[in-house]
Amino acid sequence: MSAADSGYLQSLNNLLQQDYRGVNIAVYALATAGLAVSLHKIRPVSKFSKASQVPNHFIKQHEPLRGRYAGIQHSPMRVLVDHRAPIYLPLWHSSKPPLPVKLWGVDIVSGNAVNWLECVARDQKVTLKPIARDKDSLVSTVQLHLQKSKTKEVETLDIGQKLVELGFAKASVPQSIGKDSIESKLAPAILSAEKHAKKYRNGVWSEKLPPIPVYTVYWRNGLQLIGDLVILTAKNSIKFVGFITSATFNGVKNLVLRPLRPSPKQIQAS
C-alpha cells in the first residue's frame, strides 16, 4: 500500500470517528417529526366529545372508535357514547361529556327505543364506524357488544338495525349511495329489518298498518310449531341413535372380552 493510500484511509477513519452534531440533530428531528405525524394520525390520548373533534381521515377511513353506551340525548334524538381513547387518562377524560351519535340510515320514532336501550345497552361496550358529521353529532353505526352471563361469548348487535327490526325506528336510507361503499353494505340490512318489522307489525307498525289476518297468524304459528317439533324430534333421534350405538358397542365389547367356557366333552375328558 502506498503512502498516499495509507494517508487517504487514515483521513477517512478520522472523518468517520468525528461527532457531527448537525447530522445527529437532523436525524433526531426527522425521528421526532415522524413520531409527531404518527401520534396525530392515531390520536392515542384524544377523547372525542364532538363530531368536529373527530379527524377527517378517521371519517374517510371509517376508523373504529370504541367506548361505552352512556344514554340518549333528546331533541334531536341521539345515542350518547362515552368514547374511550386507546390510552385512557382518568383525570382528563372523565371530565369530558359523551359523544352524540346519529345512527346512519335510521330515525328513532318511538319512546320504547329509549327504554330498550336503557335496559339492554347501559354501560355496555360499543364500537363506532364514523361515516359523516351532522353539526355536533357524529353520523355512524353503533355496534353493541353484549357479554353473556353464563358464558364468555360476546353477542354483537347493530343498534340501528335492531331498533328498526323492533319497530322502534324507521329506515331513512339516502336515495343516492355510492357503489362499494360502507353505506351500500348497510342499506340492505336496514331495509330488510324494516320489512321484517312491517311483516310482524312490530312497534309503530302495529298502528300504522292494518292488523295481520287471523289465518296468517295461525299459519305462522303452525310453521313455528312444526319447526320446533322437527328440532325436538331430531334431538331425540340423535340421543336414541347414540344410546343404541353405545349399547351395541358395549355388548360387542363384553362378548369379545368374555372368557370362553369349556364344552361338556372337554370337562369329561379332563
Side-chain angles (χ1 to χ4, degrees), residues 12 29 31 42 53 55 85 105 115 125 152 170 189 195 201 210 222 243:
L12 181 61
I42 300 174
Q53 298 174 350
N115 299 332
K125 294 181 180 180
K152 295 183 179 180
K170 290 184 178 181
K195 184 178 180 181
R201 305 298 193 269
F243 172 77

Side-chain angles (χ1 to χ4, degrees), residues 56-87:
N56 290 330
H57 65 273
F58 273 50
I59 296 177
K60 291 181 180 179
Q61 299 175 5
H62 312 300
E63 190 71 26
L65 303 177
R66 291 172 176 79
R68 288 184 179 274
Y69 172 86
I72 288 289
Q73 170 188 294
H74 300 272
S75 299
M77 192 79 74
R78 297 290 185 263
V79 176
L80 298 177
V81 175
D82 183 17
H83 171 240
R84 295 295 178 94
I87 300 177

Side-chain angles (χ1 to χ4, degrees), residues 7 57 64 111 175 211 214 250 253 265:
H57 65 273
Q175 295 294 332
V214 177
N250 292 331
K253 179 180 177 181
K265 293 182 177 179

Side-chain angles (χ1 to χ4, degrees), residues 33-208:
L35 178 61
V37 171
S38 298
L39 293 177
H40 177 74
K41 185 176 181 180
I42 300 174
R43 302 292 181 90
V45 296
S46 297
K47 177 180 178 178
F48 307 130
S49 55
K50 294 181 180 179
S52 58
Q53 298 174 350
V54 181
N56 290 330
H57 65 273
F58 273 50
I59 296 177
K60 291 181 180 179
Q61 299 175 5
H62 312 300
E63 190 71 26
L65 303 177
R66 291 172 176 79
R68 288 184 179 274
Y69 172 86
I72 288 289
Q73 170 188 294
H74 300 272
S75 299
M77 192 79 74
R78 297 290 185 263
V79 176
L80 298 177
V81 175
D82 183 17
H83 171 240
R84 295 295 178 94
I87 300 177
Y88 183 67
L89 304 176
L91 297 178
W92 183 23
H93 291 162
S94 60
S95 61
K96 292 190 174 184
L99 174 68
V101 178
K102 183 182 186 303
L103 300 173
W104 183 89
V106 172
D107 284 336
I108 300 176
V109 295
S110 173
N112 290 328
V114 179
N115 299 332
W116 184 84
L117 287 171
E118 288 297 312
C119 179
V120 176
R122 172 61 67 176
D123 293 330
Q124 297 293 329
K125 294 181 180 180
V126 297
T127 300
L128 310 179
K129 282 192 176 182
I131 298 176
R133 296 187 184 92
D134 183 8
K135 298 180 180 179
D136 289 337
S137 301
L138 181 67
V139 181
S140 173
T141 63
V142 181
Q143 299 288 330
L144 176 65
H145 308 292
L146 297 176
Q147 180 76 44
K148 295 184 179 180
S149 57
K150 296 183 180 180
T151 62
K152 295 183 179 180
E153 296 181 0
V154 177
E155 181 183 5
T156 300
L157 300 176
D158 186 286
I159 288 182
Q161 295 177 17
K162 192 63 179 179
L163 291 177
V164 172
E165 182 181 332
L166 294 173
F168 301 154
K170 290 184 178 181
S172 61
V173 177
Q175 295 294 332
S176 58
I177 299 177
K179 295 182 179 180
D180 298 329
S181 63
I182 186 174
E183 294 93 333
S184 64
K185 298 177 181 179
L186 295 172
I190 294 176
L191 295 176
S192 177
E194 185 171 77
K195 184 178 180 181
H196 175 87
K198 290 180 178 180
K199 179 180 180 181
Y200 290 92
R201 305 298 193 269
N202 292 340
V204 296
W205 302 112
S206 62
E207 300 176 356
K208 294 182 177 296

